Amino acid sequence: QVHMVESGGDSVQAGGSLTLSCVASGLTSNSYYIGWFRQAPGKEREGIAGIWIGDGSRYYADSVKGRFTFSQDDAKNTVYLQMNNLRPDDTAMYTCAAQIHRGPFPGWIMLMHTADFAYWGQGTQVTVSS
């Protein structure tokens, strides 16, 4: 059984930094995608970052590019999202998700837009004040 657990959300001031963690346990493949999604009240869910474990390919949405960065600890089945220079419009519930890689890679734009991930965590709240 796959479990996704996020942590690291907090309240910070604009310009601050946070590191979110996503632990993916129970995955039976060494090739899978991890995606980070966020949703603010009254807004649509946004896929902001993705990483293909086993390939190394990474994706960052324009809204976070240059400010957010992935790292990973394979021994701990953990992916980290370092978030720097946070802005008030980064305030949202952040959720990580996983999907085992099967068949042709659909491309990051399609994958993050359709959010075709089988396994989802409960989310961690990030609040950025001005």
Side-chain angles (χ1 to χ4, degrees), residues 11-87:
S11 297
V12 297
Q13 291 193 327
S17 298
L18 284 174
T19 301
L20 303 185
S21 300
C22 173
V23 180
S25 60
L27 288 167
T28 56
S29 171
N30 59 6
S31 181
Y32 55 92
Y33 319 121
I34 297 288
W36 277 102
F37 297 83
R38 68 184 183 186
Q39 188 165 20
K43 293 188 177 181
E44 291 188 357
R45 182 176 58 194
E46 178 188 13
I48 59 167
I51 183 169
W52 183 348
I53 305 298
D55 176 88
S57 173
R58 302 180 182 195
Y59 164 83
Y60 300 98
D62 288 344
S63 58
V64 306
K65 196 174 295 181
R67 300 187 298 125
F68 291 12
T69 306
F70 269 115
S71 62
Q72 63 191 87
D73 185 336
D74 293 338
K76 296 182 179 180
N77 295 323
T78 301
V79 168
Y80 304 96
L81 188 66
Q82 175 69 40
M83 308 190 299
N84 297 325
N85 193 21
L86 284 162
R87 310 183 306 218

Side-chain angles (χ1 to χ4, degrees), residues 2 4 24 27-35 37 51-53 96-102 105-106 108 111-112 114-120:
V2 177
M4 307 293 295
L27 288 167
T28 56
S29 171
N30 59 6
S31 181
Y32 55 92
Y33 319 121
I34 297 288
F37 297 83
I51 183 169
W52 183 348
I53 305 298
C96 70
Q99 176 65 295
I100 293 174
H101 168 232
R102 295 188 181 95
F105 178 56
W108 280 116
L111 183 60
M112 299 305 287
T114 60
D116 186 18
F117 288 76
Y119 311 105
W120 292 79

